[in-house]
Structure formats: C-alpha cells, structure tokens
Amino acid sequence: MYHLRRLTILGVFVGIVVLFTWVLPQALNPVKKSREAREAERRWVSTSPYWLDRQACRWLSLCGLWHVKADPPSKRDEKHGEDHHHHHAPELRRLWEEQKQQKILYTAKGETGTPKHSSGSGNNTDTDGLRGIPDYVLDYAPLVHLYSGEHFWPADIANHVKNMVPYADDVRINVTEPLDLGNLHKLHKLHSKHSADLFLRSRTDVEARPSWLHNWFNIPALWDDDNDDDDDDDSDWDGDEAEGRQSEEDDEHRSGDTTTWFDVDRDHPLQRISDPRYAPDGSGSGSPSHMGPRQPLPARRGGTTTTTPQQRRRRRRRERERERSAPTLTAQHKPDDSGYSRAPATLVLVDKGSGIVDAFWFFFYAYNLGQTVLGVRYGNHVGDWEHAMIRFDSGVPRAVFFSEHEGGQAYAWHAVEKRRDGGAGNETNAEVKQRPVIYSAVGSHAMYAMPGDHPYVLPFGMLRDQTDRGPLWDPRKNFRAYWYDYAEEELEPVREQPEAPTSWFHYRGRWGDQLYGLDDHRQWRLFGQYHYVTGPQGPKVKNLEREKMCSSKRCRILHSIAEGRRSTWVP
C-alpha cells in the first residue's frame, strides 16, 4: 500500500511535468515546427551561458527562469514618484489644444510644413498619372476606440525609424545617411542575404521605456459627443442592433441577386449568384427554406464564365465612375475638432477588378506589450502593425476584416457597430454615412468588433485581450494613402499626396528587435512562450492580394456580433 501511494504520487508528478513541458507548449503552439525552426530553437537555447539553464530549457521548458521579474507597462519617475504620462500632463493638454485646431488631412508634409521629398521608388510630383481616393473609402473610414488604460499609443513610422538601427542578424549595417521612409528599401541592397535576416533594432533599451516607445503625444484629441445621437457609453450595447440600423440602400443592395464579392481578384472576376449565404465558402448559414433551393455557383478557377452584354456594360460604367471619383479632401471630407492624432495611419488601396476595392487601414505602434498569465508577461515586441480591411463592391461596403490573434476575423458590413460620421457639414446631409467602429486591445493592439474581454490560445480566460470605449481615434484626419498593384508589386501615392514616400513599403525586414537570446537578462521562455519575440514585418507581407476577406483557414465571415462573442480559445 505504501509503495502504491508513492507510485501514485510519482505518477501525478510526472503527469504534471508532462502537462507543463509538453502538452501545454503544444497547445500554445499547435503548428508543427519545421526542421529549420527546430534548428533555430537549438541555437537559441545554446545562447544561455549556463549549463543548468540549457538543460532546464531542453527538458523542462524552463528557460532563463532567474530572469523572470516584474514587467510594468511604464517606469515611474524616480524624482517625482510618478509615471511619464502624468509628469507631462500639462504638455499633453497643450498638444491636445493644438490638435483641436487641426483642420486638414495629412498631406505627406514634413515638420516644417514644406513637402517632404523622398528618393524611394514610386514617388511622384506629377499627379496626372495618379489615382485619387474614392469618396466612398473616406465616407466609410473606420473609427478606432483605443483602450482607456493604454500605455503605448499610435506611432508615426517616420519617427519610429529615427529611433532604430539596421542590423543583419547580429551585425550592424553601416549606412551613409540617416534612415527615413524614403530610403528604407536600400537596406536590401546593402545586405545580400534573405530579407528575413534584416532587423531594425532599438537604439535604447526598451525596458527603460523611452518616450518614443509610449508616444503619449499621439493620444487622440478628445471626441465631442454633443452631436451624436447614439448612446456610446452603454457598455451593454449589443452589436446585433447594427443590423437594425443599417441604411435602406444597404438593405436593397444585400437582398435578391448579388455577387461573389467575398472571393474575388483580377484572375477570378466577379460572378453573379443568387445570394452570398448560398456560396460554398463556409461563410453562410445555409439556405433558408423560404428562399428556395441553393443556386449553383458559376464555373471558376479555369472554368468558362458567361456574362451578358448588359452586365459587361454595367461593369465598364462602374469602372469609369470609380476612376473619376477623386475627391477634394478639404472640401468634401473636412474633419471636426475631435479624434485627431499626430500619428498618421496608413491607407493602402488595392483594386481587385470587377469593381472590388479593398481599403486596408494600417495602424502602427512602437511597442507591443504582451499579456500576463499568472503574473508573468509574454509576447513583448518592438514595432506593432495592425490593420482593418473594408471590402467595397462598386462603392458599397460589404465586410470588415479585423486583425485579431489567430489569423483575424471578418464580419459582414451589416453586423459591425457603426457610428454617425461626425465630419463638419454632415449635419445638413440627407444621407448620413455610418462608419464602422473598431476596438483596439490594450498592449497588443489587436482589433476587435466589440468591447470587453477576448480570450485566446489558453482556456478558462487565462490569456485574454481587453478592449473598451477609450479615446476615439479618427484615422481619416491624418494618414498617408497609396494604391498598390499586387501583380506588379508597385506602390503609388494617391493624387492628393503625390510626394508621399514609398520606399518604406518595400522594406521586407522586421520593424523591431530580433528575438533576444538567453544571454540577455530581459529574456525568458516558460512552457514554450517567450517574454520577448521578434518584431513584425510590414504591410507588404499582410496578404494584400487576398481573394477572400479572411487570410487564414479558421477565419470566416460572421453575420452578427453575437457570433464573435461566442468565439473562444483555439488550440
């Protein structure tokens, strides 16, 4: 009996060890590692100068255990006993007042107000051959609720580059001129290896929390809700109400015959089907009994497509209308006094043909603060690109993609929360546009369709993002804009910003530090999860050429916020 008890205790102990050293790491990283990844991991473990640490890392998945320490979002001021944000509150108030006087959209100008010339490929001073921004893209531009307790706010990529040094692995690249958005692509010419070996490493220790990392000065100016009829302070708002508030025009466009807008590119043009819910892409909910039997999809992927002369004329007419839709920004899209941030967003427009245009809104942050599990923080990295994409079908918004964890999520247009456009002049318009609302998670800046907690990866809500109705950011008031031809891999600035730099877009390296080794006191890895990970790549590698709304197999188009709330952790 005594020996049986000892064996039971030993079995329980071994089971716990196996759970935390094998099962849990596999759950956190279900993708089978390639041979190259396993070799890279072995090299990383070997960076530890201590034999015991290397063995604990290999056998128990406890790496750099004695490096584990508290990792607060911001450092307190030693002299004043307060953090950087509160210490500079008077300066922030002054900047907010200046921001409220801003009355123009971003025009790719330098700090002195003169046009910023850049040597990057694709820059133009002649606007004749450039396409303008269609009216509908700005009419339906998203609004972003940043988290009220955020510590790392939107950043300007131009300022971020100034605080970084280029490296190829661990070797610094010597440049003859300071890095900026107009010469970033030149790093590829100076480094002959694969672009994945290129990194922008921070000049200062990020754990010292320098001000350029926080970007306190880029907090959006306070939003004025006086003219907003919606009760946006109601935390119990249910996104399903958005379906009841959609415009009659959108109702009419969604009913009856429609198209394969959810799966289109230049090689696979728009096709006509009976209803998008009937398409065999997994995004629909089946064929309602009152709608009749499911209609077959026309032949695609090499099959023969038949269109009537009337359809071809209609398509050509829509193409001509879209080409002519270059708005005068300051006249038609004059912003009001709120939601402005000094950090410009990045708008990349991609024409998929057949009247389909994808508007990618990219948001950059200098730092991603990871979430905590049992008081230990995982997933920090320098540089953070997030994005939302709105797909338009002949100027009509169809769906919105959110860059969440695990590949992101997409929602049909009628499902997402919307807010009345607060732009000046809209009070007298008969038709008031509804702009989609996005919620940015604290620290990670992942994008969601609703406020609240968002568990991911681990069960029981152990690891989760948090969103709320914090400062409302209107990226339409300050942005750089481009058209991207994915077939030719060419980026051009829009007609309204002909001198916007383009070189930065073609930089395929990382926008942050490389994975720290175990010889770095800032690094640890417990149960397969790193304290610091490698910084991200930029917009060019975000699958801009995608046919579907989603960029991963597990993602599908949801038709209500309730569906999104039911989403849970994915092993």
Side-chain angles (χ1 to χ4, degrees):
M1 189 69 179
Y2 174 73
H3 294 290
L4 181 60
R5 187 184 312 145
R6 294 183 62 181
L7 288 174
T8 301
I9 295 175
L10 179 61
V12 171
F13 175 76
V14 171
I16 294 175
V17 171
V18 171
L19 172 66
F20 281 95
T21 61
W22 176 254
V23 177
L24 189 56
Q26 291 297 315
L28 293 173
N29 188 15
V31 180
K32 186 177 181 180
K33 294 181 180 179
S34 65
R35 181 177 179 180
E36 293 77 11
R38 293 195 298 270
E39 181 59 33
E41 182 175 339
R42 283 193 290 269
R43 290 196 300 269
W44 181 81
V45 173
S46 299
T47 61
S48 175
Y50 306 109
W51 179 87
L52 185 60
D53 186 28
R54 294 194 297 270
Q55 303 312 310
C57 186
R58 292 189 181 107
W59 299 104
L60 301 177
S61 196
L62 301 175
C63 312
L65 192 59
W66 41 78
H67 291 165
V68 178
K69 59 184 180 298
D71 185 19
S74 61
K75 305 298 182 182
R76 298 179 66 84
D77 188 289
E78 295 181 357
K79 294 182 180 180
H80 300 85
E82 54 189 7
D83 65 29
H84 188 86
H85 181 199
H86 297 292
H87 180 58
H88 291 276
E91 176 69 6
L92 286 175
R93 283 195 292 270
R94 182 185 68 80
L95 288 169
W96 282 334
E97 290 301 319
E98 291 181 0
Q99 290 174 7
K100 291 176 70 174
Q101 304 304 315
Q102 185 77 14
K103 293 293 184 182
I104 60 174
L105 293 176
Y106 187 83
T107 56
K109 292 184 178 180
E111 295 180 358
T112 60
T114 58
K116 181 178 180 179
H117 295 273
S118 172
S119 59
S121 61
N123 292 298
N124 291 272
T125 55
D126 181 10
T127 62
D128 292 341
L130 299 180
R131 300 175 63 178
I133 306 174
D135 283 329
Y136 56 80
V137 170
L138 299 184
D139 285 340
Y140 297 107
L143 294 165
V144 182
H145 268 299
L146 301 170
Y147 192 74
S148 58
E150 183 60 71
H151 285 82
F152 301 96
W153 300 89
D156 186 345
I157 55 176
N159 182 63
H160 182 77
V161 169
K162 294 178 182 178
N163 291 284
M164 309 300 285
V165 179
Y167 274 78
D169 290 330
D170 291 325
V171 180
R172 180 169 178 172
I173 299 177
N174 294 320
V175 294
T176 58
E177 55 184 342
L179 287 181
D180 60 33
L181 301 186
N183 62 21
L184 205 55
H185 77 293
K186 293 183 178 180
L187 294 178
H188 294 283
K189 299 179 180 178
L190 298 175
H191 177 60
S192 59
K193 294 183 179 180
H194 194 273
S195 60
D197 298 325
L198 288 174
F199 297 87
L200 297 180
R201 182 182 295 182
S202 51
R203 293 180 180 273
T204 54
D205 181 5
V206 294
E207 292 207 336
R209 299 294 192 262
S211 59
W212 65 268
L213 211 63
H214 288 285
N215 287 290
W216 299 112
F217 296 163
N218 295 333
I219 299 175
L222 299 180
W223 187 277
D224 183 6
D225 282 334
D226 291 343
N227 295 323
D228 198 338
D229 296 332
D230 297 332
D231 183 11
D232 287 323
D233 293 328
D234 182 8
S235 59
D236 295 329
W237 179 90
D238 187 349
D240 292 333
E241 295 176 6
E243 186 171 358
R245 294 198 300 264
Q246 67 193 54
S247 67
E248 293 182 2
E249 177 185 352
D250 191 33
D251 266 333
E252 181 179 355
H253 196 88
R254 289 193 305 110
S255 63
D257 287 348
T258 185
T259 62
T260 57
W261 59 266
F262 46 82
D263 190 8
V264 171
D265 68 2
R266 295 181 188 176
D267 295 330
H268 309 102
L270 210 66
Q271 302 296 318
R272 186 160 290 280
I273 60 176
S274 62
D275 190 283
R277 291 170 294 179
Y278 302 163
D281 68 340
S283 65
S285 57
S287 175
S289 58
H290 68 279
M291 296 289 287
R294 175 176 299 193
Q295 301 296 323
L297 206 65
R300 301 189 65 202
R301 303 295 187 270
T304 302
T305 300
T306 302
T307 57
T308 65
Q310 182 182 7
Q311 290 173 333
R312 288 194 293 270
R313 286 195 299 271
R314 186 184 302 114
R315 183 179 302 167
R316 287 195 295 269
R317 184 171 64 253
R318 289 173 178 173
E319 292 283 354
R320 289 194 298 269
E321 291 175 353
R322 191 174 71 255
E323 289 291 339
R324 291 195 298 266
S325 60
T328 303
L329 297 184
T330 54
Q332 296 185 21
H333 300 284
K334 185 178 180 181
D336 59 8
D337 294 334
S338 54
Y340 173 84
S341 171
R342 288 158 51 102
T346 301
L347 171 62
V348 179
L349 299 170
V350 185
D351 189 343
K352 300 295 176 65
S354 305
I356 300 296
V357 171
D358 287 348
F360 289 85
W361 288 91
F362 284 95
F363 311 101
F364 184 78
Y365 306 82
Y367 193 66
N368 180 105
L369 182 70
Q371 307 299 351
T372 60
V373 177
L374 302 177
V376 181
R377 193 177 300 281
Y378 302 95
N380 293 354
H381 58 82
V382 180
D384 188 18
W385 282 101
E386 303 292 343
H387 75 276
M389 184 264 278
I390 302 175
R391 174 160 292 184
F392 293 93
D393 177 2
S394 299
V396 176
R398 288 292 202 165
V400 185
F401 173 82
F402 299 80
S403 58
E404 302 175 5
H405 296 287
E406 302 296 326
Q409 189 57 267
Y411 289 83
W413 179 258
H414 65 84
V416 298
E417 177 184 350
K418 302 178 188 70
R419 185 181 179 114
R420 190 189 63 163
D421 190 347
N426 277 328
E427 292 80 2
T428 59
N429 290 347
E431 180 184 355
V432 178
K433 300 298 183 183
Q434 296 287 322
R435 299 172 61 184
V437 178
I438 298 171
Y439 292 87
S440 176
V442 60
S444 73
H445 310 115
M447 319 212 82
Y448 294 93
M450 77 291 285
D453 290 349
H454 310 276
Y456 64 97
V457 176
L458 290 181
F460 313 119
M462 294 177 62
L463 185 62
R464 64 182 184 274
D465 274 333
Q466 291 178 290
T467 59
D468 69 5
R469 299 180 187 277
L472 190 59
W473 179 19
D474 187 352
R476 196 178 70 181
K477 296 176 182 176
N478 188 6
F479 63 93
R480 300 179 179 93
Y482 305 88
W483 282 96
Y484 178 56
D485 185 339
Y486 59 88
E488 302 294 333
E489 293 194 22
E490 292 181 354
L491 185 79
E492 288 187 347
V494 296
R495 184 182 305 156
E496 295 82 5
Q497 300 173 356
E499 299 183 39
T502 59
S503 172
W504 65 270
F505 180 83
H506 300 288
Y507 168 69
R508 288 181 173 268
R510 303 285 181 162
W511 285 75
D513 295 17
Q514 188 177 12
L515 178 72
Y516 299 149
L518 273 174
D519 53 347
D520 192 311
H521 69 91
R522 296 170 293 184
Q523 183 67 297
W524 65 73
R525 189 186 76 182
L526 305 181
F527 312 121
Q529 295 302 293
Y530 295 85
H531 182 214
Y532 279 94
V533 298
T534 300
Q537 293 178 279
K540 191 172 184 178
V541 300
K542 303 299 184 183
N543 197 15
L544 302 181
E545 68 277 9
R546 71 185 71 163
E547 301 171 38
K548 300 180 184 295
M549 284 295 302
C550 298
S551 56
S552 68
K553 292 182 179 179
R554 68 166 292 271
C555 170
R556 63 188 181 89
I557 299 177
L558 304 182
H559 289 270
S560 71
I561 292 296
E563 288 185 83
R565 291 188 187 278
R566 288 194 295 267
S567 298
T568 182
W569 72 288
V570 178

